[in-house]
Amino acid sequence: SQTIHQWPATLVQPVGSPLSLECTVEGTSNPNLYWYRQAAGRGLQLLFYSVGIGQISSEVPQNLSASRPQDRQFILSSKKLLLSDSGFYLCACDDRDTGELFFGEGSRLTVL
Amino acid sequence: GDSVTQMEGPVTLSEEAFLTINCTYTATGYPSLFWYVQYPGEGLQLLLKATKADDKGSNKGFEATYRKETTSFHLEKGSVQVSDSAVYFCALGTGGGNKLTFGTGTQLKVEL
């Protein structure tokens, strides 16, 4: 089955600094990939999804961007972080047959 | 659009108590329904799922039945354990890239 690796696991960054969170997937090819954010006390919000290399769809307007330079690599970035970007970021891929999502362990971002 | 509504937590129970976490949904078409579990500091894991009306998903003693007439997918367990303490997310998927819509999550605390 699919395995998802995310790093870094924890990150503390000052306001205005750049961000790069990386996600790689093993055990599947040509997956649909997703970035979710889980803010404190709130549910999961879908930020971006990708159906293939270089193909990114944004679900909500925000200070973040995503890129997919390789089939099994998904990167979440920001040029200048805001306080409101703090949260727990989860990368996921799906099983196209069953619809199940497989999640990484998450990256906790604190913007100070 | 699609939406999922879960009961607010936290839900605090004694060990061996009966658990119900309510989940209702609004969707166009015929969604698949999922329960995911998030243990402290970790990503989400699929707990169970149901793909059509009247299906019952079950895993680790948890059950949920897809009720189309009441648009519900309530999670139940007959006897909870301390190790069940986690956040539980109800979700629906209507295909088209397998994007899932999540509820806000319900925190469960089980005490001795």
Side-chain angles (χ1 to χ4, degrees):
Chain A
S1 65
Q2 296 91 328
T3 303
I4 301 175
H5 302 284
Q6 281 187 244
W7 69 94
T10 305
L11 196 59
V12 180
Q13 291 286 103
V15 169
S17 63
L19 171 73
S20 181
L21 300 179
E22 192 158 344
C23 169
T24 58
V25 180
E26 295 178 357
T28 185
S29 59
N30 193 28
N32 293 329
L33 297 175
Y34 306 81
W35 277 110
Y36 283 87
R37 177 169 59 201
Q38 185 179 21
R42 302 180 63 180
L44 287 168
Q45 180 184 36
L46 178 61
L47 302 176
F48 301 97
Y49 75 97
S50 171
V51 299
I53 296 173
Q55 300 178 66
I56 309 294
S57 295
S58 175
E59 291 294 299
V60 293
Q62 58 206 318
N63 183 43
L64 302 169
S65 62
S67 61
R68 186 169 176 176
Q70 300 181 43
D71 181 47
R72 289 174 286 179
Q73 183 184 26
F74 204 24
I75 299 171
L76 184 69
S77 304
S78 175
K79 293 181 178 179
K80 290 185 177 181
L81 284 169
L82 306 172
L83 288 174
S84 58
D85 292 324
S86 294
F88 192 50
Y89 289 83
L90 290 159
C91 180
C93 75
D94 64 19
D95 182 315
R96 292 175 187 264
D97 295 327
T98 66
E100 178 181 352
L101 277 182
F102 297 87
F103 286 86
E105 293 297 315
S107 298
R108 185 165 300 283
L109 171 65
T110 303
V111 182
L112 302 175
Chain B
D2 298 342
S3 66
V4 176
T5 302
Q6 288 182 238
M7 61 188 292
E8 290 193 19
V11 174
T12 302
L13 295 174
S14 299
E15 202 169 42
E16 299 184 1
F18 184 84
L19 168 71
T20 300
I21 300 178
N22 290 337
C23 171
T24 57
Y25 67 90
T26 302
T28 55
Y30 302 96
S32 294
L33 300 174
F34 305 83
W35 276 101
Y36 281 81
V37 59
Q38 184 181 32
Y39 297 103
E42 299 183 8
L44 278 70
Q45 306 170 27
L46 179 67
L47 181 60
L48 55 84
K49 66 180 181 183
T51 57
K52 61 183 187 297
D54 300 325
D55 271 1
K56 177 185 284 187
S58 61
N59 185 27
K60 299 180 181 180
F62 290 89
E63 294 182 339
T65 301
Y66 188 143
R67 301 288 188 197
K68 184 179 177 183
E69 63 276 13
T70 55
T71 61
S72 64
F73 193 54
H74 304 321
L75 183 67
E76 297 181 335
K77 187 175 185 182
S79 176
V80 294
Q81 305 299 312
V82 171
S83 58
D84 293 326
S85 299
V87 181
Y88 292 82
F89 290 90
C90 185
L92 70 84
T94 54
N98 289 334
K99 289 184 288 180
L100 297 188
T101 300
F102 285 86
T104 53
T106 302
Q107 184 175 12
L108 171 65
K109 298 179 181 178
V110 181
E111 301 172 336
L112 291 172

